[in-house]
Each structure stands twice: as C-alpha cells, then as structure tokens.
Amino acid sequence: MITFALAIVLMLSTPGPGVLSAAGVGAGFGARAGLRYIAGLCIGQALVFVFVAAGLSAVVLANPWLRLTLMLLSCCYLFYLACSIAMAGSKISFIQTARAPGLVAGILLQPINPKAYAVLTALLTGFPLYPEDYWTEVTIKFVILNIIWIPIHVIWVYFGVSLKRLNLSAKLQRGINIIMALSVLLVVALATWATF
C-alpha cells in the first residue's frame, strides 16, 4: 500500500490540467470558487475511476478516433478555462469572466481529460493489493487515492489564493493569471504530443 500511495504522489507531482486549473481558479477567483471547482474535479475523477474500474478506459485508450475526440474536447474546454483564468480581473476580455468556473466545470473536465484515464488505469492495473478480490482492491485504491488527491488539489487552490492575497498590482496579478493559463495550455500541448 505504501508503494501505491507513493506512486499516487509521484503521478500527481507532475501537474496536469486539474491541479493547474485549480490553482488558476484560486488565483483568479478566490478560495470559494477554487474549492467548488475541486469538488467538481473530485466528482469527475470518481466518474473516471468508475469507467476505468469497469474496463471502459480500455475502449477509450484503444480506439484512436474516440481518443482523438476526447483530446480535442479536452483541449477546447481547457482553452476556455485558461481564457477564463487569464482574463480574471482584466477589464479587457473576449469572454465573460463574471462567473468563476465552479462545480460543473470541474465535473466536465475529468471525463475528457486523457491524463485522468492514463493515471487511473496505471494505478488500478498496477500495484496489486488484493489480486483475489478485484472490487475490494478497487475500493481500497479509491479511498487511498482520494486521501492523497483531495489535499494535493486543495494545496494548489491555496497556492493560487496565496498569490491573489499578496495584494499585487492589477498588472502583476493579470500577468500571474496569464502565466497560470499558459501553464494549463502547456500541459495540454505536452499531453497531446505524448498521446500521439
């Protein structure tokens, strides 16, 4: 179990769209919005966990057109989130940023996030804990995953909120929001490149 927990920490230590967008929502919109967003990410992650445990991720990962479709949806959605983060607090914007990405935005991200499928598939198929009882193993792994996953995402939101609390100039805060947004887009680009 310790090896499994360590693997989770290592996989989550490479920031993906979820943690970076959580930090961006925290920086751009504050703690409440960030916590609502990660609540949605948590629900979405649980859905992907169920898909992977039921074997549906094998269909997604083995089917090139379905994988491409999810990747394109993910890229478009993350581009929208990145724009929302980048334009938070900006007077000039081409999208409405009055509402922060919230619960629904978090839920929608995970099922179209290819990294979520890849990480959860690796965690569920590797590190056997109870090979003779699959569903006991799945349940235990789900609990361990969330014990680690939730605090890490809360820390990222806190990191974003801490940046906002520094009372930086509007120009510098806007720059930080843009850097956060670009980081999300960079992770998407790297994931796309690694996938194909």
Side-chain angles (χ1 to χ4, degrees):
M1 278 194 225
I2 292 171
T3 307
F4 176 70
L6 183 60
I8 294 170
V9 171
L10 291 174
M11 287 186 182
L12 292 178
S13 66
T14 56
V19 293
L20 287 174
S21 60
V25 171
F29 299 97
R32 264 193 207 146
L35 293 176
R36 276 194 305 271
Y37 182 70
I38 62 168
L41 286 176
C42 190
I43 294 167
Q45 180 255 355
L47 291 172
V48 174
F49 192 91
V50 169
F51 296 159
V52 171
L56 297 176
S57 70
V59 173
V60 171
L61 296 174
N63 193 326
W65 71 265
L66 186 55
R67 194 172 64 191
L68 177 64
T69 301
L70 285 177
M71 181 62 74
L72 290 173
L73 286 172
S74 178
C75 288
C76 290
Y77 188 68
L78 286 167
F79 180 74
Y80 168 77
L81 284 177
C83 289
S84 294
I85 292 165
M87 298 301 172
S90 173
K91 300 234 188 276
I92 303 168
S93 76
F94 57 89
I95 59 173
Q96 185 60 259
T97 58
R99 283 185 48 205
L103 184 75
V104 174
I107 293 170
L108 292 175
L109 174 60
Q110 295 296 58
I112 60 173
N113 178 0
K115 183 185 177 193
Y117 289 94
V119 167
L120 292 175
T121 298
L123 291 173
L124 274 173
T125 58
F127 313 97
L129 301 176
Y130 294 96
E132 69 285 347
D133 190 352
Y134 178 72
W135 290 108
T136 298
E137 179 168 330
V138 166
T139 303
I140 290 170
K141 285 182 175 181
F142 182 76
V143 170
I144 294 169
L145 173 69
N146 283 293
I147 287 171
I148 297 168
W149 188 95
I150 292 170
I152 286 176
H153 282 71
V154 170
I155 289 168
W156 276 91
V157 168
Y158 178 74
F159 171 72
V161 170
S162 295
L163 287 175
K164 187 177 183 81
R165 285 187 182 154
L166 290 176
N167 281 332
L168 304 171
S169 69
K171 184 177 180 181
L172 189 54
Q173 181 63 44
R174 195 167 28 257
I176 289 170
N177 289 348
I178 289 170
I179 288 170
M180 294 266 195
L182 290 174
S183 298
V184 171
L185 294 177
L186 178 63
V187 169
V188 171
L190 290 173
T192 304
W193 183 65
T195 303
F196 299 103

